Amino acid sequence: MTQTILILPGDGIGPEITAEAEKVLTALRRQHGFDASWSHGLIGGAAFDATGEPLPAATLTAAKAADAVLLAAVGGPKYDTLPRPQRPERGLLAIRAGMGLYANLRPALLYPELAQASSLKPELVADLDILIVRELTGGIYFGQPRGIREEHGQRVGYNTEVYSESEIERIARSAFEAARLRGKRLCSVDKANVLESSELWRETVIRVGAEYSDVALTHQYVDNAAMQLVRAPKQFDVIVTSNLFGDILSDIAAQLTGSIGMLPSASLNERRQGLYEPIHGSAPDIAGKGVANPLAMILSLAMMLRYSLQRADLALKVETAVRHVLADGLRTGDIARAGEATVGTPAMGDAVVAALA
Ligand code: IPM
Ligand code: MG
């Protein structure tokens, strides 16, 4: 059966990098028996410009009907002064909630060719390969009540960190399953010394853990985990944590690799339908210049092949092609060393396509 993909280029460098991902899709279809068709939709500032909303109903409908969604990035300075409900970020949060994408997998993998890009000593990060499993549809990002109210003559802003047992259970399972396929070590990160929501988080993760006796479970408080990530990151295999803590820790983990332009992510729902996006943002400062690194987008496509389209064989092909172009010395500006020659976005995409053949 033909698999269907919805492509959401979004804003900034989005259209440039999705164009390269499409070259890869076309090559897979032509040369490697990949039976898929794809269409495009609007999200973020691009959607706001066209329809007045950051997530038009048509986009969410198409996303729910697709086997997988490939998203580049949203946002830009032009939209920063819009009222909150119309901002591009709201489109991203709404598609996560609308598709029920509660499990966000953010791998941080250090490519040996790019080891010098890390701000940590090479021996601390050599062969780094960690996976952050971030809860994505709950916690303080979505908790009620929230708002800004008047109180005793001044404004008070408030949000609610809230997790139900079932929400914790399902993300814990995603993390244990992921750990099973990797180094079989899971570290759950919380703030159980202060927060009741974290107390329940820890209790629930321990209870679910009884079903995964082959996975070694540990716990860290989030402040310590942040420190451990920059002190000795290789102690981690898989980390599972809440929406807000995962947002912060995944940026730290990305910086450990020194090349945020290389990191993909997957967000999955109960049907294992997924949305795949690079970790980096829309990079408005370099948008339209043809210099953005398309590799995180292309690696997101590889994750899509593996997790939603059951084509691990093709995922591996794409990942191997990316390693080839790095080994051949191709570098976009973000991953080049001072004085190293750089290539633009289309040349990098073409090189990956050539390496696939
Ligand atoms: C991320 C981003 C988003 C988040 C923003 C853009 C809403 O930082 O995907 O990590 O906070 O989840
Ligand atoms: Mg973030």
Side-chain angles (χ1 to χ4, degrees):
M1 231 179 60
T2 305
Q3 295 184 299
T4 58
I5 302 164
L6 177 68
I7 299 181
L8 303 175
D11 306 320
I13 59 171
E16 294 162 69
I17 59 175
T18 46
E20 302 314 309
E22 277 184 68
K23 285 183 188 167
V24 173
L25 284 174
T26 303
L28 292 175
R29 189 160 67 180
R30 284 216 188 108
Q31 302 156 14
H32 300 283
F34 177 46
D35 187 9
S37 69
W38 50 93
S39 58
H40 296 86
L42 291 168
I43 194 168
F48 173 77
D49 288 340
T51 70
E53 292 174 278
L55 182 68
T59 300
L60 184 57
T61 306
K64 285 180 170 168
D67 290 303
V69 180
L70 205 54
L71 168 75
V74 300
K78 182 178 158 197
Y79 309 106
D80 283 349
T81 50
L82 284 174
R84 199 165 288 279
Q86 280 148 24
R87 289 209 199 140
E89 292 77 12
R90 197 45 85 83
L92 189 58
L93 296 171
I95 200 170
R96 287 173 181 171
M99 293 179 71
L101 304 168
Y102 66 87
N104 182 214
L105 312 185
R106 298 191 161 185
L109 187 76
L110 188 95
Y111 290 85
E113 293 86 356
L114 305 178
Q116 87 293 337
S118 176
S119 43
L120 268 67
K121 298 192 197 91
E123 64 270 25
L124 286 183
V125 291
D127 304 314
L128 183 78
D129 179 1
I130 60 189
L131 175 69
I132 298 193
V133 178
R134 168 188 177 192
E135 200 292 325
L136 202 61
T137 52
I140 199 163
Y141 270 54
F142 295 93
Q144 293 291 346
R146 65 188 295 161
I148 300 176
R149 64 170 178 249
E150 272 306 303
E151 216 172 78
H152 309 301
Q154 64 170 343
R155 292 189 306 152
V156 175
Y158 55 100
N159 290 87
T160 305
E161 169 80 355
V162 52
Y163 272 113
S164 66
E165 279 184 291
S166 57
E167 282 179 299
I168 304 167
E169 254 180 64
R170 65 182 184 179
I171 192 67
R173 280 182 208 289
S174 304
F176 279 111
E177 301 285 344
R180 254 189 187 158
L181 298 175
R182 297 174 38 105
K184 297 192 166 52
R185 289 180 298 120
L186 177 63
C187 179
S188 171
V189 172
D190 60 39
K191 191 68 187 173
N193 51 344
V194 178
L195 305 176
E196 284 80 1
S197 59
S198 275
E199 196 182 309
L200 183 67
W201 178 281
R202 190 176 288 214
E203 267 178 43
T204 309
V205 172
I206 291 173
R207 178 161 52 73
V208 173
E211 297 166 37
Y212 297 85
S213 53
D214 54 326
V215 176
L217 174 64
T218 55
H219 306 271
Q220 282 182 14
Y221 298 137
V222 64
D223 50 349
N224 183 38
M227 186 173 71
Q228 295 301 329
L229 268 173
V230 292
R231 193 189 71 87
K234 283 193 276 181
Q235 70 184 279
F236 297 107
D237 176 24
V238 179
I239 290 175
V240 63
T241 192
S242 65
N243 203 342
L244 179 63
F245 296 162
D247 179 46
I248 300 164
L249 295 182
S250 63
D251 265 28
I252 300 182
Q255 175 54 30
L256 294 177
T257 72
S259 28
I260 195 162
M262 296 293 303
L263 300 179
S265 75
S267 305
L268 304 170
N269 64 18
E270 238 131 35
R271 300 162 45 203
R272 276 192 106 56
Q273 195 192 24
L275 179 140
Y276 299 82
E277 58 180 318
I279 288 199
H280 62 68
S282 58
D285 53 320
I286 57 165
K289 297 185 177 158
V291 298
N293 184 349
L295 294 180
M297 187 79 241
I298 291 171
L299 290 166
S300 299
L301 163 69
M303 279 191 103
M304 174 182 83
L305 290 164
R306 178 173 289 115
Y307 288 102
S308 283
L309 305 185
Q310 280 75 48
R311 291 302 303 261
D313 58 326
L314 295 182
L316 194 62
K317 271 198 166 62
V318 174
E319 289 160 352
T320 307
V322 167
R323 283 180 186 272
H324 268 289
V325 304
L326 291 177
D328 284 348
L330 268 84
R331 301 285 183 269
T332 42
D334 59 310
I335 53 173
R337 274 194 263 200
E340 232 170 16
T342 59
V343 298
T345 313
M348 190 59 117
D350 291 342
V352 174
V353 168
L356 268 177

